[in-house]
């Protein structure tokens, strides 16, 4: 029998990481978003933004 070739799909050596999106909601209805690869940095950014009097709320969501 003929031996099957192995595909390169399982040999993907690229670095894998998760993405975290920070969304900042302002009192005037505007939104701002920023994406981080480190959850701690995303959370720190969100906390820093909450200190501003024009910020209504912040949210950190994993997107991938």
């Amino acid at each position: 029998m003929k031996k099957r070739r192995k595909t390169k799909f399982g040999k993907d050596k690229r670095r894998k990481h998760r993405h975290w999106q920070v969304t900042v909601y302002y009192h005037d209805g505007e939104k701002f978003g920023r994406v981080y690869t480190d959850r701690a940095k995303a959370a720190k950014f969100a906390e820093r933004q909450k200190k501003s009097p024009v910020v209504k709320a912040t949210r950190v969501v994993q997107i991938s």
Side-chain angles (χ1 to χ4, degrees), residues 28-52:
D28 63 356
E30 293 289 319
K31 280 195 305 189
F32 172 75
R34 180 173 282 177
V35 178
Y36 288 90
T37 55
D38 184 18
R39 177 142 182 25
K41 284 185 181 179
K44 192 172 180 181
F45 175 74
E47 286 300 316
R48 198 165 58 244
Q49 294 301 307
K50 280 183 191 176
K51 293 178 183 176
S52 174

Side-chain angles (χ1 to χ4, degrees), residues 4-6 11 18-19 22 33 45 48 54 56-57:
R4 286 184 136 186
R5 280 188 353 190
K6 201 168 197 174
K11 294 186 175 188
R18 295 187 170 103
H19 290 84
V22 179
F45 175 74
R48 198 165 58 244
V54 296
K56 184 177 176 181

